[in-house]
């Protein structure tokens, strides 16, 4: 049995009258890469900052390896490292100075600090930017400086708030590998994101939160299986239209959408139905050019669960 | 507290303080401008003022030349305004959300608060070292002990002022509002002090609130302390002697330091500020 790295119990956070997070319950196990998925304003950052003891719960509590963020915040801070959504630096600051100071604060000796800072900066492609001032850096580079803090710290629980937002696509893939490596070295990683591709690529488990509430939780395939009519059978056929009779029989399997000579059927357990569908086409003498069963995307899952689009507010 | 604990805490405080010292590095141009302006002030304007002031002042300064009297006053007011602007850096960090980063660091928040106050005041001292050198060169001060004592009391003074500014920052949590408050206090505090006029002259005005304000003012205490260090004859001007000033300076700095830490801890511990 893996132990619980983070346990969120009846956590509510209000700002004045506004409830940013509403009675959240979550368990995150040691050595997982756990994703908090939701559009902007869902309460992801609020939750992460409370785990990091920067905010205090309005009610409920959060435990990091059994230590309460409200009663043992100092102990929690020694277990947690965070890369903020908004890079934390003044315009005049230089990455090398900030990271060296960070390394010293988290416990490295001066010589070890210099070593690890250089190592991490080179890994992230930051070394050439080390003595530039923050206002000269691109958004993506600033985000990498934020991530570098956590990589230097090697905390037991790493919190990454939208780590690859503003990062170019090529670097994104590299960062995802870096994040996985951090996990492989024993860190539990919690990532907030509104990028479903990122969630699919790096997260083993995902919690979908929307408007401050938990809507669903599970592994990616559990989430995808949880929605009825989750699969899509996509068929490209010869000719421009299909006979009425075939269409009617296909409709018994699920909702149909057509687009020129492509037909999509939304079904449950697509891999079981696909043979029947091929049979029906053959009986009706319509030639299939291409057929595939597609899984729903996390976007589909999100839309099904919340009735909203993941990207609508981002 | 056990010894290794103490040493470790001290190390953390100094590390935190190095945050502000690190920032100082990026302000060389600003510093050069301030040195140039200060030098101009003491070499040209201060001299002009001292010509205007009559010879009669000597009776009130224990025989110390007004120009020299004034130099230590304006060094003190420089320390004061630099301490305040260092404290502002913390206010700006609040507004920019950098406080969230600091609150997430694996250190005790009380040590963090001490470190920041010390960092701001140490960087004030370092920032004003060149100006101090200008003043002490003009005054031909070379006694090591005087210089050391001046620095120690300048640091105490700065700790008190920074603690006061941080208290305001935590209390109002907005750099803009702090700006207005400190601006108002700033305008008054330097004028209601012995930067420009010795205490007996202020007393002679017969305006009691003015006299009391100058008497209670940390700026008066530091400038008078520095004056006594450099010109022992100035001692005569202080009716109560130097001991109350020393006690005042220590109490002022430690008082605001402790209140600032207490407030910081209470406000910010476990994110209670949001
Ligand atoms: N410090 C704050 N004061 C007031 N409202 C806040 C504060 N922080 C966040 N909120 C509000 O709480 C909600 C959740 O915000 P946040 O946790 O940042 O969401 P996410 O990270 O998912 O985008 C938003 O509506 C936001 O406006
Ligand atoms: Mg956010």
């Amino acid at each position: 049995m893996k132990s619980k790295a983070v346990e969120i119990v009846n956590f509510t956070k209000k700002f004045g009258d506004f409830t940013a997070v509403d009675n959240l319950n979550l368990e995150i196990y040691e050595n997982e890469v756990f994703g908090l998925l939701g559009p902007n304003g869902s309460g992801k950052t609020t939750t992460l900052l409370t785990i990091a003891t920067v905010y205090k719960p309005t009610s409920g509590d959060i435990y990091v390896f059994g230590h309460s963020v409200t009663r043992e915040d100092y102990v929690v801070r020694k277990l947690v490292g965070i890369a903020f959504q908004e890079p934390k630096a003044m315009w005049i600051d230089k990455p090398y100075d900030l990271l060296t100071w960070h390394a010293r604060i988290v416990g490295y000796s001066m010589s070890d600090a210099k070593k690890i800072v250089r190592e991490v900066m080179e890994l992230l492609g930051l070394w050439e930017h080390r003595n530039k001032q923050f206002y000269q850096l691109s958004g993506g580079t600033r985000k990498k400086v934020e991530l570098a803090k956590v990589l230097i710290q090697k905390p037991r629980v790493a919190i990454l708030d939208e780590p690859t937002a503003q990062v170019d696509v090529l670097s994104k893939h590299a960062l995802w590998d870096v994040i996985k490596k951090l996990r492989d070295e024993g860190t539990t990683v919690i990532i907030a994101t509104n990028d479903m591709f990122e969630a699919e690529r790096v997260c083993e488990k995902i919690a979908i939160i929307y408007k401050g509430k938990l809507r669903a939780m599970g592994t990616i395939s559990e989430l995808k299986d949880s929605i009825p009519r989750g699969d899509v059978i996509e068929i490209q056929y010869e000719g421009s239209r299909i006979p009425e009779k075939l269409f009617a029989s296909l409709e018994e399997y699920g909702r149909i959408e057509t687009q020129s000579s492509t037909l999509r059927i939304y079904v449950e357990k697509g891999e079981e139905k696909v043979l029947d569908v091929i049979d029906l086409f053959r009986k009706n003498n319509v030639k299939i050019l291409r057929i595939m069963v597609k899984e729903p995307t996390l976007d589909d899952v999100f839309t099904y669960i919340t009735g909203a689009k993941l990207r609508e507010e981002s | 507290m056990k010894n290794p604990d103490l040493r470790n805490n001290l190390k953390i405080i100094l590390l935190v303080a190095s945050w502000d010292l690190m920032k100082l590095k990026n302000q060389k141009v600003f510093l050069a401008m301030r040195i140039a302006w200060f030098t101009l002030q003491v070499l040209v304007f201060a001299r002009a003022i001292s010509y205007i002031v009559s010879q009669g002042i000597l009776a009130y300064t224990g025989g110390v030349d007004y120009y020299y009297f004034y130099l230590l006053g304006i060094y003190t007011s420089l320390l004061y305004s630099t301490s305040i602007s260092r404290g502002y850096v913390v206010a700006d960090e609040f507004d920019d959300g950098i406080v969230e980063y600091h609150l997430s660091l694996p250190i005790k928040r009380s040590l963090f608060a001490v470190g920041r106050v010390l960092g701001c005041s140490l960087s004030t001292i370092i920032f004003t070292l060149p100006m101090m050198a200008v003043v002490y060169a003009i005054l031909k001060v070379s006694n090591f002990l005087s210089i050391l004592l001046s620095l120690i009391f300048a640091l105490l003074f700065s700790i008190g002022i920074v603690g006061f500014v941080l208290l305001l920052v935590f209390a109002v949590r907005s750099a803009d509002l702090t700006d207005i408050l400190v601006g108002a206090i700033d305008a008054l505090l330097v004028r209601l002090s012995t930067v420009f006029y010795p205490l007996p002259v202020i007393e002679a005005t017969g305006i009691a609130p003015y006299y009391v304000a100058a008497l209670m003012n940390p700026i008066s205490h530091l400038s008078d302390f520095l004056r006594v260090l450099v010109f022992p004859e100035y001692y005569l001007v202080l009716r109560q002697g130097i001991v109350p000033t020393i006690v005042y300076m220590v109490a002022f700095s430690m008082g605001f330091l402790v209140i600032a830490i207490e407030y910081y801890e209470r406000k910010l511990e476990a994110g209670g500020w949001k």
Side-chain angles (χ1 to χ4, degrees), chain B residues 8-118:
Chain B
N8 202 33
N9 286 345
L10 202 63
K11 195 181 121 196
I12 290 168
I13 289 172
L14 290 177
L15 276 174
V16 173
S18 72
W19 171 267
D20 295 286
L21 301 180
M22 162 181 105
K23 304 270 166 162
L24 211 54
K25 271 200 331 202
N26 301 334
Q27 301 198 319
K28 291 185 193 107
V29 177
F30 181 58
L31 177 62
M33 277 161 48
R34 290 295 291 264
I35 296 171
W37 171 240
F38 186 82
T39 310
L40 191 72
Q41 207 180 352
V42 299
L43 291 183
V44 180
F45 305 126
R47 248 182 223 288
I49 290 172
S50 60
Y51 277 121
I52 297 166
V53 176
S54 73
Q55 288 294 306
I57 191 107
L58 288 178
Y60 297 101
T61 58
V64 176
D65 186 277
Y66 183 74
Y67 178 53
Y68 296 157
F69 166 89
Y70 181 75
L71 282 184
L72 287 164
I74 100 179
Y75 167 67
T76 305
S77 67
L78 176 79
L79 265 180
Y80 171 69
S81 58
T82 309
S83 303
I84 283 181
S85 68
R86 289 284 126 199
Y88 269 4
V89 171
V90 180
D92 281 342
E93 288 176 357
F94 245 79
D95 283 1
D96 279 27
I98 289 172
V99 61
E100 293 177 351
Y101 165 53
H102 286 152
L103 290 175
S104 76
L105 292 169
I107 31 185
K108 290 213 177 82
R109 291 196 175 140
S110 51
L111 296 183
F112 185 77
V114 181
R116 286 313 298 278
V117 174
L118 198 66

Side-chain angles (χ1 to χ4, degrees), chain A residues 13-33:
Chain A
K13 180 65 185 178
K14 292 184 180 180
F15 295 107
D17 288 338
F18 178 74
T19 305
V21 179
D22 190 1
N23 198 38
L24 186 67
N25 285 282
L26 269 184
E27 286 171 1
I28 297 165
Y29 288 88
E30 191 169 7
N31 226 229
E32 262 173 6
V33 181

Side-chain angles (χ1 to χ4, degrees), chain A residues 13 49 53-56 73-74 77-78 82 84 88-90 92-94 97-98 101-102 104 149, chain B residues 15 18-19 22-23 25-26 96-98 100-101 103 105-109 269-271 273-274:
Chain A
K13 180 65 185 178
L49 290 190
T53 81
V54 175
Y55 291 170
K56 188 182 192 146
D73 62 296
Y74 170 58
R77 280 200 293 282
K78 290 209 277 194
I82 176 168
F84 290 90
K88 301 294 185 193
M90 303 296 261
I92 202 169
D93 294 338
K94 296 172 182 170
D97 294 343
L98 288 179
W101 186 80
H102 185 80
R104 296 284 283 132
K149 289 180 187 165
Chain B
L15 276 174
S18 72
W19 171 267
M22 162 181 105
K23 304 270 166 162
K25 271 200 331 202
N26 301 334
D96 279 27
I98 289 172
E100 293 177 351
Y101 165 53
L103 290 175
L105 292 169
I107 31 185
K108 290 213 177 82
R109 291 196 175 140
E269 196 67 51
W273 59 296
K274 281 253 165 136

Side-chain angles (χ1 to χ4, degrees), chain A residues 161-291:
Chain A
D161 198 348
E162 304 195 11
T164 64
Q166 298 182 49
V167 172
D168 61 276
V169 183
L170 217 62
S171 302
K172 270 189 195 202
H173 285 268
L175 292 189
W176 290 333
D177 288 342
V178 166
I179 291 167
K180 283 182 187 158
K181 194 167 149 261
L182 184 66
R183 195 276 316 272
D184 292 342
E185 287 166 2
T187 295
T188 307
V189 181
I190 307 175
I191 297 182
T193 185
N194 56 26
D195 176 348
M196 59 114 186
F197 189 60
E198 173 162 282
E200 291 209 41
R201 275 300 298 263
V202 289
C203 301
E204 290 147 344
K205 259 195 207 162
I206 285 174
I208 292 180
I209 57 172
Y210 183 57
K211 295 195 171 160
K213 287 201 171 87
L214 178 68
R215 308 295 169 137
M217 218 277 298
T219 63
I220 289 169
S221 53
E222 278 168 0
L223 286 175
K224 287 178 175 175
D225 285 345
S226 74
I227 60 171
R229 310 218 178 283
D231 290 348
V232 185
I233 301 177
E234 194 174 283
I235 308 132
Q236 248 177 26
Y237 54 88
E238 207 171 59
S240 55
R241 55 186 304 272
I242 25 177
E244 293 282 326
K245 206 177 122 220
L246 174 58
F247 196 91
S249 348
L250 288 174
E251 259 188 326
E252 282 169 26
Y253 289 93
R255 192 159 56 85
I256 294 181
E257 271 176 21
T258 54
Q259 203 177 32
S260 57
S261 49
T262 305
L263 183 131
R264 286 194 195 87
I265 318 171
Y266 290 82
V267 298
E268 241 168 300
K269 303 214 167 66
E271 58 282 5
E272 290 169 18
K273 312 267 160 73
V274 67
L275 286 176
D276 295 354
V277 171
I278 293 173
D279 239 23
L280 277 171
F281 269 79
R282 205 165 38 211
K283 276 181 194 152
N284 285 281
N285 290 317
V286 179
K287 195 174 172 198
I288 293 175
L289 297 176
R290 210 162 68 109
I291 182 162

Side-chain angles (χ1 to χ4, degrees), chain A residues 95-114:
Chain A
Y96 184 79
D97 294 343
L98 288 179
L99 293 178
T100 309
W101 186 80
H102 185 80
R104 296 284 283 132
I105 286 283
V106 300
Y108 287 93
S109 70
M110 196 62 208
S111 60
D112 287 348
K114 282 182 176 163

